[in-house]
Amino acid sequence: EASQSQALASIGDAPLGAVLLWIAAAAFVALGTWQIADAVRGGDDAKDRGKAAGKAVLYLALAFTTVTIARGSSASDGDQQAQGFASALMSAPGGRLLVGVVGLGVIAGAAFHVWKGVTRSFEEDLTRTPTPVTVAGVAGYCAKGVALGAVGVLFGYAALTADPDEAQGIDGAIESLLGAPAGPAIVVAVGLGFAAYGLYSLARARWARM
């Protein structure tokens, strides 16, 4: 049951959960708006502007999901969204190729996250990097890379088999890792890595290089 929607629903079931969800939704909207502004005033660096625009879409989508759950409705999980996206792509001309390209793009992004963690290049984003922050950043970026890599592989498999149901989001990717050798240990490590990334993000909120 490990999914983004389930996690948000669990928060909603806690004491003052609805209040926390509305606060989170407002925060996601604020982050999305900030990234939109960053994309608009990002200067001539198309890469940075594209990253900011992508983050804006992500944060606003999270805001929509959070509001939906705060209002008592259920939201489709990441796997359903991924399958719907893959199905829509496959219905287009050259659809299997498009799905494969998406898979390769996600794998490239996963490799970048792992590289950023291993080389500690994320330290360039901060004005201070105490050792605990560095450790959390390395663990967090590597964990995100592993999870995204699994998503990319599943999209690639969906393209090879022409079956959009094989495409999965982070939720399904984590579940697929359970079937790998030493799968439970890998999933526990990825979960701890995500928690570490959350701690790193708190530090980044304090010491981000603006």
Side-chain angles (χ1 to χ4, degrees):
E1 298 299 325
S3 71
Q4 178 178 284
S5 298
Q6 185 67 32
L8 289 169
S10 297
I11 293 174
D13 292 337
L16 298 178
V19 174
L20 291 174
L21 287 177
W22 283 110
I23 291 173
F28 285 136
V29 170
L31 281 168
T33 303
W34 177 34
Q35 293 297 334
I36 290 173
D38 209 26
V40 171
R41 61 177 175 78
D44 297 328
D45 194 329
K47 179 182 176 182
D48 288 343
R49 294 177 64 155
K51 284 173 61 178
K55 288 180 180 180
V57 171
L58 172 63
Y59 289 133
L60 293 177
L62 285 171
F64 174 79
T65 300
T66 305
V67 168
T68 300
I69 295 174
R71 296 179 62 184
S73 302
S74 60
S76 62
D77 61 27
D79 296 339
Q80 292 173 322
Q81 295 168 5
Q83 290 162 7
F85 177 63
S87 180
L89 281 181
M90 283 193 183
S91 64
R96 289 177 65 182
L97 178 61
L98 291 175
V99 173
V101 169
V102 169
L104 290 174
V106 174
I107 290 173
F112 173 75
H113 276 78
V114 172
W115 174 83
K116 193 167 185 175
V118 171
T119 63
R120 294 165 42 175
S121 61
F122 59 84
E123 293 180 338
E124 299 172 0
D125 301 328
L126 306 175
T127 58
R128 287 188 59 193
T129 53
T131 298
V133 173
T134 297
V135 172
V138 171
Y141 272 102
C142 289
K144 284 184 69 176
V146 170
L148 286 173
V151 172
V153 169
L154 290 171
F155 263 82
Y157 186 67
L160 289 173
T161 60
D163 183 0
D165 288 344
E166 296 293 341
Q168 303 288 328
I170 292 290
D171 317 335
I174 295 298
E175 186 175 346
S176 71
L177 289 174
L178 284 171
I186 295 173
V187 170
V188 168
V190 170
L192 292 174
F194 277 134
Y197 188 81
L199 295 174
Y200 163 77
S201 296
L202 290 174
R204 185 170 179 177
R206 173 66 178 84
W207 293 311
R209 192 181 301 279
M210 304 297 289

